[in-house]
Every structure is written in structure tokens, then in C-alpha cells.
Amino acid sequence: MNNKTAIAAWDELLGSENVITQDSILETNETATFLTKAKICAILRPSTSVEIQKCLKIANQYGVPVYPVSSGKNWGYGSKVPTGDGCALMELGKMNRILDFSEELAYVTMEPGVTQRQLYEFLQEQKSRLWLDCNASCVESTLVGNTMERGFGHTPYGDHFAQVCGLEVVLPTGEIIHTGFGKFPNAAAAPVYRWGLGPYLDGLFTQSNLGIVTKMTFWLMPAPEYFQAFFFSVSEDHQLADLIDALRPLRLDGTIKSAVHIGNDYKVLCALRQYPWQEAKGVTPLPTEVMAKFAQDWDFGAWNGSGGIYGTKKQVAEAHRLIAKALKGKVRRLQFLDDRTLKIADCLAKPFQKLTGSHLPELLKLMHPVYGLMKGLPTDSQLASTYWRKKSPIPEKPDPDRDGCGLIWCAPVAPLLGKHAAAINKIVRETLLKYNFEPQQSMTLLTERVLDCIITIGYDRQVEGEDEQALNCYQELMETLTKSGYYPYRLGIHSMKTMGKGEDNYNQLLRNLKNMFDPNNILSPGRYIPENSQVVSKLDEI
Amino acid sequence: MNNKTAIAAWDELLGSENVITQDSILETNETATFLTKAKICAILRPSTSVEIQKCLKIANQYGVPVYPVSSGKNWGYGSKVPTGDGCALMELGKMNRILDFSEELAYVTMEPGVTQRQLYEFLQEQKSRLWLDCNASCVESTLVGNTMERGFGHTPYGDHFAQVCGLEVVLPTGEIIHTGFGKFPNAAAAPVYRWGLGPYLDGLFTQSNLGIVTKMTFWLMPAPEYFQAFFFSVSEDHQLADLIDALRPLRLDGTIKSAVHIGNDYKVLCALRQYPWQEAKGVTPLPTEVMAKFAQDWDFGAWNGSGGIYGTKKQVAEAHRLIAKALKGKVRRLQFLDDRTLKIADCLAKPFQKLTGSHLPELLKLMHPVYGLMKGLPTDSQLASTYWRKKSPIPEKPDPDRDGCGLIWCAPVAPLLGKHAAAINKIVRETLLKYNFEPQQSMTLLTERVLDCIITIGYDRQVEGEDEQALNCYQELMETLTKSGYYPYRLGIHSMKTMGKGEDNYNQLLRNLKNMFDPNNILSPGRYIPENSQVVSKLDEI
């Protein structure tokens, strides 16, 4: 490694305004929502694929690794902090061009720096009838970054990696390739046909460190004639399994096309307000009776779900009927809302509150962003919940990294069966409560057959000992979940060792791939692919 | 290469009944539906993944390449004939176990030898409410083989590779790996969640020679409450573009979920009968006026399409309404059929024919298998059309390889826009007619954004000169199509060089992958990955 020489070379290449080495800025970028140790030697801000190529050449030459992020809003999984020490952080935010767009074929091609807000505004400007699928992170998170981590959203296009096509990738050794039909410079179907010709390579570049994606086509959803959201809840925790089993047939037969999200009482309360220190008399985790009081006052259940229905008026009406039929007797409440009824509710909320003392205005404030997400409207609303355990109020411009918000996410995947939901829920409750954290959980019916759970370990980094406590809790949670067969869909920078579990041959294949793509190990070392200097010759093993 | 020693070793491993070297059998397996030259040195019939491992060890040891097929019904693309000379053909037909099945989660896990017929019968035996998605090849074609080639079918699960998960792969160097969550031996979601954790590798093993897939999970479609098929046609060739543009919004918004197929008049006639030598007075290609007479007599149009609607009665009724509305004034005929009306038509066809002289019974005979395919019922009916130009009658048990049926398929992909359909149609008509072949064509609305065209070059291999004529025609067709931006989704063994076109860096990456996975090049040499002994060190190039 030769940091100084490498930095000087990058400086010459990108200009000093795009190579940051100021200690205070580096420190900010070394801060995540949990305890991390990796230091960065510089921040690089390239503007083009060619600049990235040259940056990587320098990295190879001087043996200084590079760690790319798009906007780096990877909260709960490590923010911008690299998996290994001594990397140059490469921010791709300056590469934020929208390169191609087709209203007819419903797609958009873009660079990695394009944010959800930017794409949303672009579609508005174009007066487009197309909707994007947002993740709930924040408006400034990027579409490419989220998709590379195989993140998900809320509409029928919720499984993001299943809705993209045609990558431009800068390989660690500096070559640029175009995947799918993109390898043929004139292929008409390049932005619409995923598989291309010959082996399909796109998957190699997700959750890996085998290349830097600099261009990607996203398929967009045509806005339906009519949209309706449905909200439902069950009173008791043990009703979760039945609820999941009631929804599965509707997901499997396509009546529900969207990624239905179901959050538990803790998740709802965290979205509604910060920790009730006063009511809880300063005690953590939240006493059961305090939660019960809130649930009664605010009228939410042990599990609370939402989903979208998309189609013509008649298509929506039929889905509405089938959902109501399937959930009859299984939920305490089932509400359908559309643009019109939501507007009416908004108007009536305040007078209704005066009359009855209900919390309708606050609940509506919570529902609006959820409703919007199902229509492709990005939101910052979820950021507030990262301040759950903070004793200071939520600032106007939240920044969980800066403000010492403690947040670790764990995201196990299970088959879409009630018994698996119940098993995960049991593990989560027991483990988090044991470590003094509220078991905040949501479960997403991501595809026809899959349940994706997001477990939040939320705490205050400024309380001494909590950083360690949270990591220990995560560790035990992950071990219990994986022993029970529930593996995560995605990893945080602190938990990459989970990748090393399982089949030796498979792990060795990953290492061989890494070695082939990146012989000097200069791209995001340790990210998803287990590191091991000893590459066994496979032929010797037969 | 040391054939004799390798064969002896395979013989010892598998038993002589599973290592065939009899000349006449080898010759049969060296025969496709077009001119090929590759010879095979033996046929291997392993029964287990472990036997495959050991076969590959021998292949590596003696430098004799192996070319695996499932059932090898790869008609039109090369049947069982290898891409390179001197391979041992490995038939996986003995590996035909169904290993796992879930009615609740709608999936089945199987070995590569399982045929469409076998799976269909299995589901019947289980009294399952699940449907498979068939390709139209024949009942004995396998699901794994077709999916590895990224073949497609007729239902909402038509894009086969998008509906599978969790591969077991024997690598060319002999290791066995399990992809997706399968790398973790106890992962509950292994059969239902595609991406697994870390890079997604499944795509590497499709259209490639990087491994032998020995196990795969297929997702199945729940049978809907109600099914309706729709059939439509346009009179004139120039109406195709408008038709495609009318259907696109319905495909994009999910009203039509199935892979709609549209065939031209030639395609219909070939399905109805053999070449009308008498009416055409022995002349080829088919004179326009003869085609016109048939089209009038049998009442088919220039383009004739079919699709399925799946759902509750109300969901189907609404889709029916939207399809009728979209096609109004754009088609000469639009018919909706369900099980009941099809039965009535069957009963009335004969009397109706007597009364009117119509060809309704023959047309119904043609419609039944198409209707069945949309409901997951495999069929052999399409085999007959490979005898189109033969002067002998269609035998009871058709075998196009054996009977010298000439068949080459070319399958370009285009964005789902009418203008592209028209452009491809023009190229196809001009090129095939020029070479004296009928421009048989079908176009499939494979996904929301993609049109997949299948062009048939159908001829009689026993007519001297036609083998060469057909290959020349294919060559010109492929060149004209690719120059115009239309690349194929799949290649025949004679056209692998198409893969070598396009980006050098990409092709080099493929070669590097091949070199890493298969250093001795003993698995299906030349299949999809361009061969090139000179592997350039990538670092030198930066």
C-alpha cells in the first residue's frame, strides 16, 4: 500500500476538489449507525466511467483499495463505512445523469447517483404516466445502490433486481463491459430483455465486489386507471400466522401484486413518536402495559399491514372483494382507501378529533407516506423513527449517522407460510427483549412465495455500552435465526462473515471468481465474498 | 485426447450398458434436423450427480470433452449434436427423479431428465391444483433442458428462467455446488427465494458450458378459478404493427399475463397440413394464390394469435372486456373460448361441417393443443409441422431427426413495438422467399416489454442441395437481423459464432470465466462461450 502516492495520482486525475482528505470529513464518513472501526484514506468523486477506470488503475498500481457507494444511505447496514480498513471511499453521486427514457416501453436508464427524488421529479416533468418503485429509506437514496444490494419496495415492482436490465460495469481491472444484449452495440432490445445471449452475468455484480455498476435500466410501472390501498390489523401477536396464511393464496394467484408490508406494534409506535421515557419511567425495554396503553389510545394492533391494489375500477373492485373475503374474521379491522377517501379523511380528521379525542390526524400523518410509497412517491418520513431512543427531539433535517442514532437491521427470509412468520417472531421477541431492545419488526410479502422480515435494533449510541450491547444482540439474533434456517437477504458491513457459512465448494468458487475479477483485491475487500488468500487449485481436489 | 482409455474408464464407472459406442447408435445421435458434422465418441448415461462428477474427472484426466443433454429434443437448434467434434454425449435421461414438491408454496424440485409429460402426470397423481408451463416442443422434452436454454412457454410463467430457483451444479472440475440459499444446507427459503445471499450465480449456468445442472426448483402456477382463451386474427400482413401496439398496453399493465403467441398464415398452414404439392404444382416456395385459397377455405388470416386469461370469473370478465375494447376495429375476428364452449364447439363441429362445408373440425383439432398449452398441458402436436415439405406422410410416431425433416429455428428478440415487428417480418419474408422457403413465423409477447420471434426454415433434408440452401438462408437471415439490431435469444449449434460479435471486453470476460471454471475445456467446448486459446492478461490492458 502506498496511500500518499495513490492519493496524489487520484488528485491529479480528478482535481483536488474531488479528492477529499480533510480529517473532519473523513471522520464523518467513517461514522455509521452502529460501532464500526474501518478508516478511510480519502474520498474520491469521479464524474464518468472513464474516470472510474483510471481511478481503479491507480488503485491496482499502488495497492490501495477503493470502496464505491452511490449516495451511501445504507443506514442500518453500515452507511458509507467500508467493510475493510484503509480504503478510499468512492462516492458516485456526481454520476447522476438520466440517460434514456421510454414512456411507451416504460423504462429509464440512469447512472448510479440518481436519487429517488430526482427520478420522481424527472417523471413529473415528463408528465409521465409511469411510477417508480421506492424503498422507504429516504428521498436521497439511489435506485442503483439499492438494487445492487437487492433491496425492495412497495409496488408490484418491489423486488428491484427482478426489474432491471442492461448494466454497464467497470471491472476491478479497469475494463468496461455492457451486460445482456448491451454487449452488441446496436441491439434494439438491450433495455428491455434481461437475459441477453449466452450466460446471464448481471447477478454477479449484485451483493458483491466484482465490479462498479455505472449504468442500469429500470423498468417502470404504468400508473393504473385506479389505485386503492388497504390497511388491516390483528389484535394479538399469535394471530400473525393465520394472517400470513390467509394472504398467501392472494399473493400466489396475483390478486395482490404488491409487496404487502406488515409491521408489529413496536414498529408502529416508533413511527408515531420517540420513546415514551416519561410513561416508561425511564425504563427499557418498553414495559408491556405502556405499549398496551398506546395501542389502545392510538388504536393499533399487534400487527398492522398495508398493501396496494392496482388496475381498472373493476379489477380493483374484484381484488377488494377477494381480500375482504380472505381476511374476514381474521383481522380486527380492514380499511380501503383511495385518493378521494383519503382527502375526505384529511378534512374530517381535525373536527373528528375535537369531537372524540381520537388520534386520527396523527394516524393519517403516518398513513400518508405509506400510501404514497405504494404509488411510487419517495418519502423521508421513516428517518424520524431512527431517533426512537434518543432523548433529544428529532431535528428538522434528520441524519442518523451524525446524531448518534443506533440502528442495526437484520433481514431474514422465510417461505411465505404462517408457521415461519411465527417462528421468526418468537426468536426476535426473545432475543431483543433479552438485550433490552424493543423487538421492532416488519414482514413483507416480497414475492408470491417469500416473506422478508426486517428487524430493527434501535438504540442511542450516546448511551454508554449500548453500541456493544446492540452488536451482541445482533450476533445472537443472527446465530439463532440461521440455526433455525432463516438466512438474511442482505448483510451489514459488520456481518459479512455470515457469507462464509455453508458449502465449502461454493465459497471457494466465490473466492476464485474474486481472484479472477480482481487479482489485486482492490475493490471493496471483504464485501460479501469471503476473503481468503489461499486459493486452492480445484483440480487437485477431484 | 485419449478416447479409448477414457471410454474404458467410463465403462468401468457406469457399466457397459450405460456407455454406448455402437456405430449405428452414435450415428443416430449425430443427426439433427439440419446439416451437422460433429462426431461423438460415445454416449454416457449417468444416474447420479456423483457419477457425473466421476465422469468429469475422467474427461479431465484424458482430455476427452463431454457434452451433456437432458432429453436432447433441441430440434431446430441442433438436437443432440455437440457444438464440437469428438465429444462424449452425456444423456441425463436416467436422472429423472422428482425430489421435492409443495402444493402450498407451489413448487417442484427435480432432476434434469424429468419430462413435461412426467411432471404433468405427477401433478395429476397428486391431485394438484398447480399447472406447469410447457414449451410446445413435445411431451418428452425436459423442463431443465429447456430452462437452461432460456426457452419459453405459454402461461404467465412463460419466461422459464424467471421462474426457477436453487440449482445443484456439477462444475467442470468436478465440485458440486448449490446456488442461492442452497449453499446453506438448512435454509428454509432455498426453494422459494432466487437470489440467495451474495452474488447471484444461477445465470452463469444458462446458455453456457460452465457446469452441469443436476437439480432445479420450478415454481408452478396455481390453477385459476376460471380460464378463458382468446383467439384473434388480422387479414393483412401490414396490420401486424397495429395489432402489436394494441396489445402492448394490456401486457404492460398486467391485464394479459400470459405469453401471447401470434403466428402468420404460413405457420398456420404448416400446422394444418403438409405442403400442398398438388395445388402448388410441385413448385416452391408456396405460390401466393395457393396460400390465398387456403386462407379463404380454412378462414385464417395473415396473422393469427392466441392468449390465455386467468383468474376469478370477474377478473377474467374484466380482462375479456379490456381485450375486446383494445382490439376493436383492429382484428377481423376475436373469439373467447372456455372449457364449456370448446366442448360445445366439438359437438357441433361435425354437423356444422356437413351443413356448411367449413373446416371447423380440423381447425378445432389445431386449437385444442394450443388451448391446452395455455393450461399447462404438454402436447406432441407441433411435431407434425416439421414434416411440412416431406413428400411422405407424417408417421404415427414422428421423429424429425430420423426422418430427414429439415428444420432450423432463428429467434430474434425485439422491443414490444409494432414497428419492430414489421421490420423483422419484412426481413424474414424477403430472405426466406429469396431462398425458396416459406417465411413461417410466430411472434410471442414474452414479457411486458419483449417480442420474441421464432422463424422456421422448414425443408426436406432428402432433397439434394436443400441442406446447404437452408444454412445459407439462415446465415443471411441472421446477418440481416443482427445488422438491424435484432439479436437472437438463443443459438443453434451451427451459429455459436454469433456470440463472438460485439464487445471485446465482454467476450474476453466470458473466455476468462470459461478458463477459470473449465481449465481443460472438457465441458461442451464452443457452446455459447467463444473459444480462444489465447487468454489475454487483463491487467496488461489498462
Side-chain angles (χ1 to χ4, degrees), chain B residues 171-423:
Chain B
L171 300 181
T173 42
E175 299 88 345
I176 292 180
I177 61 157
H178 295 84
T179 69
F181 277 145
K183 78 161 275 207
F184 304 111
N186 65 334
V192 289
Y193 186 67
R194 270 199 272 189
W195 315 128
L197 187 62
Y200 167 70
L201 303 185
D202 293 13
L204 283 176
F205 303 103
T206 60
Q207 295 191 356
S208 82
N209 52 12
L210 301 177
I212 302 178
V213 172
T214 48
K215 195 173 120 180
M216 190 188 272
T217 294
F218 286 77
W219 297 332
L220 300 170
M221 178 191 167
E225 177 190 302
Y226 180 53
F227 170 77
Q228 219 175 51
F230 60 102
F231 294 85
F232 55 94
S233 69
V234 295
S235 308
E236 307 291 335
D237 198 48
H238 68 79
Q239 292 174 283
L240 174 67
D242 271 358
L243 178 63
I244 297 291
D245 286 330
L247 289 167
R248 185 182 56 254
L250 300 175
R251 194 75 179 90
L252 258 176
D253 74 12
T255 296
I256 300 178
K257 296 180 212 168
S258 65
V260 173
H261 289 250
I262 309 173
N264 69 359
D265 41 9
Y266 292 101
K267 190 90 183 170
V268 174
L269 191 61
C270 294
L272 284 167
R273 55 162 296 160
Q274 287 181 278
Y275 196 87
W277 292 108
Q278 210 181 328
E279 292 86 337
K281 298 183 179 118
V283 168
T284 59
L286 192 67
T288 320
E289 62 279 9
V290 180
M291 175 55 95
K293 180 81 169 57
F294 277 111
Q296 193 180 18
D297 280 5
W298 296 78
D299 198 23
F300 56 78
W303 289 92
N304 310 272
S306 61
I309 328 177
Y310 306 81
T312 61
K313 284 237 170 195
K314 281 188 183 167
Q315 283 168 340
V316 171
E318 176 64 354
H320 181 136
R321 181 182 76 83
L322 294 166
I323 292 166
K325 189 177 154 199
L327 295 184
K328 196 178 172 185
K330 296 209 164 65
V331 294
R332 61 193 277 280
R333 168 173 298 172
L334 175 62
Q335 284 170 311
F336 292 85
L337 277 180
D338 63 12
D339 292 353
R340 200 179 60 89
T341 49
L342 192 60
K343 213 169 176 181
I344 295 172
D346 282 339
C347 294
L348 296 181
K350 287 233 159 150
F352 185 68
Q353 183 183 36
K354 276 190 189 152
L355 220 64
T356 64
S358 92
H359 288 277
L360 194 55
E362 293 96 328
L363 284 169
L364 276 169
K365 208 178 145 196
L366 180 65
M367 268 161 122
H368 267 283
V370 175
Y371 184 90
L373 279 170
M374 291 188 268
K375 296 181 72 178
L377 187 65
T379 176
D380 272 338
S381 67
Q382 311 262 322
L383 269 180
S385 67
T386 61
Y387 288 76
W388 165 243
R389 284 276 195 102
K390 300 298 288 185
K391 281 168 183 160
S392 51
I394 300 164
E396 206 171 315
K397 290 192 175 169
D399 181 341
D401 292 333
R402 176 195 65 202
D403 294 334
C405 301
L407 172 67
I408 308 179
W409 271 327
C410 176
V413 177
L416 187 43
L417 293 173
K419 66 178 181 184
H420 292 297

Side-chain angles (χ1 to χ4, degrees), chain A residues 133-136 146 151-155 157-160 259 261 444 446:
Chain A
D133 185 281
C134 300
N135 69 69
N146 180 270
F152 56 87
H154 298 248
T155 75
Y157 285 50
D159 186 7
H160 291 163
H261 289 250
T444 301
L446 179 60

Side-chain angles (χ1 to χ4, degrees), chain B residues 70-82:
Chain B
S70 305
S71 70
K73 310 290 186 203
N74 197 22
W75 292 311
Y77 297 108
S79 306
K80 292 178 179 175
V81 183

